[in-house]
Amino acid sequence: MKIKIVNKKKFLRSCILLMGIIIVAVLGINNTYSKAEITYKEDYIIKGDTLWSIAENEVNTNNYYKNKDIRKVMYEIKELNNIKNENLEIGQKIIIPNL
């Protein structure tokens, strides 16, 4: 079966447009469009601090954790700082994502 090209200019224009769209799509895939770069702040545990109180404070004051569930914030802080249980030591350094 043969395909006959009726209008060569229109066919060529369509091929060039299609190639342009493919190139833009391939080059644009690796770009991220985040609003802000995440930085980390250091904090030190003081007497009376708990993971719950730290997470609650971060939800209320840190835009990174704004509108997140406190339990999820606690989990993220534990994972980020490799904390195995709920016990925190006075003077222990932790890092917290910050916007």
Side-chain angles (χ1 to χ4, degrees):
M1 178 177 194
K2 275 186 152 181
I3 298 176
K4 185 175 179 183
I5 299 172
V6 177
N7 188 338
K8 290 182 181 180
K9 284 184 179 181
K10 192 174 182 180
F11 176 75
L12 185 58
R13 214 177 317 147
S14 297
C15 287
I16 291 171
L17 180 63
L18 182 60
M19 290 295 286
I21 290 171
I22 291 171
I23 290 170
V24 168
V26 168
L27 294 176
I29 285 176
N30 292 331
N31 292 338
T32 57
Y33 299 101
S34 61
K35 293 180 183 177
E37 185 175 324
I38 298 172
T39 57
Y40 294 88
K41 63 180 180 178
E42 292 181 353
D43 204 357
Y44 292 89
I45 303 301
I46 60 172
K47 186 175 181 175
D49 276 347
T50 63
L51 279 173
W52 182 273
S53 66
I54 293 168
E56 184 176 39
N57 181 57
E58 294 304 316
V59 167
N60 293 326
T61 61
N62 186 341
N63 284 332
Y64 181 82
Y65 288 120
K66 187 175 185 177
N67 298 323
K68 288 191 179 178
D69 185 274
I70 291 176
R71 290 167 291 206
K72 290 182 180 179
V73 175
M74 287 174 56
Y75 177 78
E76 286 183 29
I77 292 171
K78 280 178 67 173
E79 288 296 308
L80 185 61
N81 291 283
N82 200 25
I83 298 171
K84 299 296 181 198
N85 55 39
E86 305 296 318
N87 299 330
L88 301 174
E89 295 181 24
I90 295 174
Q92 178 180 354
K93 180 176 83 170
I94 60 172
I95 56 173
I96 299 172
N98 192 26
L99 288 181

